[in-house]
Amino acid sequence: QIGLFLGILLAVSAVVIALIIYTMTMEKLKQIATLKLIGAPDRTIIGLIVQQSLILGTAGWGIGLVLILLVKDVFPRRVVLEPFNVAVLAGIIVVVCLAASGLGVRAALKVDPATALGG
């Protein structure tokens, strides 16, 4: 049951991150079109979106870790947070963020450079 719960949690997290990255990418389509117009390679645009996704995931991981460390002693049952579990969670977050950024990358690569000129 825990494995199923974790699978559903990861899937929902990936969808939420993908939608956030997609929305942020759609807001920046004019800037991305400008980059394409001046000759920026696709690799640079992909890098920008993936970096944004990884920063979002890392920030969430960091905030979550700090909250866990602050409230773990308040729970009636002892919660043990081992460094291995923290590292595995970080790895899972990186993989989920990389996969979730695919939707934003796809939208960014389809934008026409003429959009930057108002067309």
Side-chain angles (χ1 to χ4, degrees):
Q1 288 179 349
I2 290 178
L4 180 62
F5 175 73
L6 289 176
I8 292 172
L9 185 61
L10 282 174
V12 169
S13 300
V15 167
V16 168
I17 292 171
L19 290 175
I20 290 170
I21 294 299
Y22 181 74
T23 302
M24 293 170 82
T25 303
M26 296 309 283
E27 290 174 359
K28 297 176 186 167
L29 279 184
K30 197 160 190 138
Q31 290 87 354
I32 292 170
T34 304
L35 285 172
K36 284 185 154 192
L37 188 66
I38 62 173
D42 287 345
R43 161 182 75 189
T44 302
I45 295 167
I46 292 170
L48 292 171
I49 295 170
V50 169
Q51 284 176 2
Q52 185 177 11
S53 177
L54 290 174
I55 289 170
L56 181 69
T58 303
W61 175 80
I63 292 169
L65 182 62
V66 168
L67 287 174
I68 288 171
L69 293 175
L70 288 175
V71 300
K72 70 177 182 170
D73 295 328
V74 180
F75 284 99
R77 300 193 81 176
R78 183 162 170 82
V79 177
V80 177
L81 185 64
E82 296 176 355
F84 175 76
N85 293 337
V86 173
V88 168
L89 180 61
I92 290 171
I93 288 173
V94 166
V95 170
V96 167
C97 286
L98 288 175
S101 65
L103 191 60
V105 166
R106 194 173 125 214
L109 293 180
K110 285 186 175 183
V111 70
D112 184 23
T115 308
L117 301 174

